[in-house]
Amino acid sequence: MRTLESKIHDFFTSLEKDEEYSGSVLISKDDKIWFNRGYNYANREHQVKNTPETKFRIGSITKQFTAMAIMMLQEQGELNVLDKVSKFIPSYKYGDQIQLHHLLTHSSGIPNITQLPNIKELMKQPTTTQKTVHLITDLHPEFVPNTTFQYSNSGYILLAYIIEKMTGLTYEQFLSNHIFSPLGMNNSGCDNHGKVIPNRAQGYEYDNDIVNAAYIDMSFPIGGGNLYSTTEDLFKWDRSLYTERLVTRESLNIIFTAHDFGYGYGWFIDEDEHRRRVYHGGGIVGFKNEIVRYVDDRITIIMLNNLSTTNVERIRMDLTKMIFQE
């Protein structure tokens, strides 16, 4: 009789063969990693395989780190999530209607900058946080804050700007000093096309065949999607969230509260077959990722994938059924 580990490996081997998965997978239970493998290629031109050490752009999984940074600054007395955005960006004419809480929970009404008609051209250009903030604050809100949920990268870019303004550090420096280094996440950081980053995966997409993903400059999605990491580093992150290593239990409870629209601070929160689940996807050009935490079972699934057409949601559903033997 096959073990669960061998069944899962066969499942991903089949997906790999059919070009339906290209990346690394880590599954943990309590404090133990019990599945940790790579599939397909990190770089197809050089035939370099994905491994647990491969670094992937994690897209919107970045948001949970931005949210944690905001809560750390709240504990330090530098800000409060009920503060109005106008406190930090006085020139923003709608800023006195919008709280940091609204940015964190995608209920601010600020349009999603990644839905702009010219976004493909915008994302190719090197930029600064200040310039991107100006683009966002020129947009007219689409609804009154806290009346509905509308996923918006714009809010998290504003939060990254506020982190920089309040600390005098770059977003990258703050995360490195206060999150990555303390947790030993030595293979995580802000992606930058100019840097030589060992073990960095190339992103791919389909255009009749598998091709290199279009170029984007990673200075654009700061705070909302500009980080890279590995499955093993994200396992360290996952473990820390059961502790008070970064913030107090009170702050963690706020992060993992499904506020008004089923979204915490950087996490979706719901139940899956009566199991409490916190999770987030991370799609960015050439990459499609997901981290799912079944917090009562202490089971975490991390999938980092460098083929943007991969259906990670369906794979996660199939994987969950295997893990819980449904």
Side-chain angles (χ1 to χ4, degrees), residues 122-141:
L122 283 175
M123 292 186 74
K124 290 178 183 178
Q125 307 302 320
T127 189
T128 64
T129 312
Q130 182 79 52
K131 287 181 180 178
T132 310
V133 166
H134 281 317
L135 285 174
I136 293 168
T137 54
D138 283 343
L139 301 173
H140 191 282

Side-chain angles (χ1 to χ4, degrees), residues 1-256:
M1 188 174 179
R2 289 188 301 162
T3 65
L4 178 58
E5 182 178 4
S6 66
K7 287 172 69 174
I8 292 173
H9 176 55
D10 290 348
F11 171 64
F12 277 100
T13 300
S14 176
L15 292 172
E16 174 186 49
K17 182 179 178 182
D18 294 336
E19 295 291 7
E20 292 181 8
Y21 195 84
S22 176
S24 300
V25 185
L26 184 150
I27 305 169
S28 66
K29 168 68 175 171
D30 296 321
D31 292 325
K32 182 180 179 182
I33 296 172
W34 63 266
F35 190 90
N36 192 19
R37 293 175 180 261
Y39 298 91
N40 234 314
Y41 292 99
N43 186 296
R44 290 172 181 262
E45 292 168 327
H46 296 285
Q47 297 285 285
V48 178
K49 297 285 283 186
N50 280 314
T51 73
E53 291 76 42
T54 302
K55 297 169 185 169
F56 299 84
R57 290 179 177 174
I58 62 173
S60 287
I61 293 173
T62 297
K63 291 179 173 67
Q64 54 206 245
F65 293 94
T66 303
M68 177 61 77
I70 291 293
M71 295 307 291
M72 295 173 88
L73 292 177
Q74 176 168 274
E75 290 195 352
Q76 294 167 19
E78 297 293 331
L79 51 76
N80 188 289
V81 295
L82 299 182
D83 287 339
K84 301 294 179 59
V85 173
S86 55
K87 178 178 178 179
F88 311 98
I89 311 174
S91 61
Y92 182 31
K93 62 181 179 179
Y94 304 108
D96 60 350
Q97 304 167 28
I98 302 169
Q99 299 174 351
L100 301 190
H101 171 81
H102 301 141
L103 302 181
L104 287 159
T105 56
H106 300 288
S107 59
S108 69
I110 301 173
N112 189 353
I113 194 171
T114 55
Q115 298 300 312
L116 293 178
N118 61 336
I119 188 60
K120 288 185 179 180
E121 292 307 312
L122 283 175
M123 292 186 74
K124 290 178 183 178
Q125 307 302 320
T127 189
T128 64
T129 312
Q130 182 79 52
K131 287 181 180 178
T132 310
V133 166
H134 281 317
L135 285 174
I136 293 168
T137 54
D138 283 343
L139 301 173
H140 191 282
E142 296 180 325
F143 55 86
V144 174
N146 212 41
T147 58
T148 191
F149 175 91
Q150 181 173 286
Y151 193 87
S152 178
N153 288 286
S154 303
Y156 275 79
I157 293 171
L158 295 185
L159 291 168
Y161 171 75
I162 290 166
I163 291 165
E164 294 187 334
K165 184 171 183 177
M166 296 309 295
T167 64
L169 301 172
T170 66
Y171 176 77
E172 181 172 24
Q173 287 170 337
F174 185 88
L175 293 193
S176 177
N177 293 350
H178 297 281
I179 299 178
F180 298 149
S181 292
L183 297 183
M185 295 177 64
N186 301 320
N187 294 306
S188 302
C190 291
D191 205 357
N192 181 315
H193 178 72
K195 282 184 184 176
V196 175
I197 300 177
N199 299 320
R200 174 166 53 181
Q202 168 66 35
Y204 297 96
E205 54 194 358
Y206 266 103
D207 185 9
N208 296 321
D209 198 356
I210 294 176
V211 298
N212 289 317
Y215 172 79
I216 62 172
D217 193 284
M218 294 301 286
S219 60
F220 186 85
I222 184 170
N226 67 318
L227 295 182
Y228 67 83
S229 192
T230 66
T231 52
E232 293 180 346
D233 266 16
L234 290 179
F235 168 71
K236 295 175 182 177
W237 167 243
D238 165 70
R239 292 299 92 193
S240 77
L241 299 175
Y242 290 107
T243 74
E244 296 183 87
R245 291 186 65 185
L246 298 177
V247 291
T248 63
R249 180 61 52 193
E250 181 181 1
S251 291
L252 288 168
N253 288 340
I254 294 170
I255 289 170
F256 294 115

